[in-house]
Amino acid sequence: MVRKFFSYVFSLSFLQLFLIGLGLSIFLIASFFYLATEHSHLIFKDIRGEFIFNNLTILGIFYIFSGIIPNFFILILIFQLAKFLFIECLKLIGKILSIIFSDENLDKFNEYVFKLEKTLIKNKPKLDKVVNKIKLKKKIKKDYLMPLSIIIAATILAIAILLR
């Protein structure tokens, strides 16, 4: 019974949750003030002294704790909104990374690296002792960028699957 209630509540849309929370807040506040002004004996046992928790009837205690109910719906709304924004940010990051690490861009990058290597090989630095320590890698192709892009993409997918 409780599981069905919570699954129903979590399946509601943003607007439905907001309207339920707002409606319950308005209804509970209005009914409390109506009963407190018109029928105070239903909420308070003794109104002459100062306010003490023992002076409340069962209905009065219900009204004190009834603020939890609309706040529950608003809290669920906030969590769903945060989850939605987080997932949308991950999707946006995924699209940006797919553009950056596309095969077309990697091929262009490899061309630039190849040209840079040729230029560096033609114009060797004129250093005496350091020349032997510099080792140019002739094949950079996808050695460094592909594992990085795979790790980032896998992380994004894992987080998106976890949240969905």
Side-chain angles (χ1 to χ4, degrees):
M1 178 74 175
V2 174
R3 178 176 282 188
K4 288 181 182 179
F5 171 74
F6 281 111
S7 65
Y8 171 72
V9 167
F10 281 102
S11 69
L12 295 174
S13 69
F14 296 127
L15 182 63
Q16 289 172 327
L17 282 171
F18 177 74
L19 291 177
I20 288 172
L22 183 67
L24 278 172
S25 291
I26 291 170
F27 173 75
L28 289 170
I29 290 170
S31 64
F32 172 76
F33 281 117
Y34 171 75
L35 288 175
T37 56
E38 298 296 323
H39 305 285
S40 61
H41 62 280
L42 293 175
I43 296 178
F44 305 109
K45 292 178 186 172
D46 183 23
I47 1 177
R48 287 175 269 152
E50 62 184 53
F51 176 74
I52 300 174
F53 195 71
N54 293 338
N55 286 344
L56 292 173
T57 63
I58 294 175
L59 185 61
I61 293 171
F62 166 76
Y63 273 112
I64 284 182
F65 292 109
S66 66
I68 295 170
I69 298 168
N71 290 334
F72 169 72
F73 286 105
I74 301 295
L75 191 64
I76 292 173
L77 173 71
I78 291 169
F79 282 132
Q80 282 187 354
L81 187 62
K83 176 182 164 186
F84 172 76
L85 289 175
F86 186 68
I87 289 173
E88 289 304 313
C89 286
L90 287 178
K91 286 180 183 177
L92 180 65
I93 291 170
K95 287 180 183 177
I96 291 171
L97 288 176
S98 69
I99 291 170
I100 292 172
F101 293 112
S102 68
D103 289 335
E104 188 179 299
N105 285 341
L106 286 175
D107 291 339
K108 287 181 185 177
F109 176 74
N110 289 332
E111 289 175 18
Y112 292 133
V113 168
F114 185 67
K115 288 178 186 177
L116 179 65
E117 282 183 272
K118 279 186 173 181
T119 307
L120 287 175
I121 290 172
K122 284 181 186 175
N123 305 323
K124 282 189 176 181
K126 295 184 179 183
L127 300 172
D128 295 334
K129 297 180 181 179
V130 183
V131 172
N132 295 334
K133 292 182 182 179
I134 297 176
K135 293 181 182 178
L136 296 175
K137 186 168 178 139
K138 292 185 178 179
K139 186 181 173 186
I140 291 184
K141 285 212 173 176
K142 296 179 182 177
D143 293 343
Y144 298 111
L145 294 178
M146 281 308 285
L148 178 65
S149 65
I150 290 171
I151 290 170
I152 292 171
T155 305
I156 290 171
L157 285 174
I159 292 172
I161 290 171
L162 178 70
L163 294 176
R164 283 284 173 162

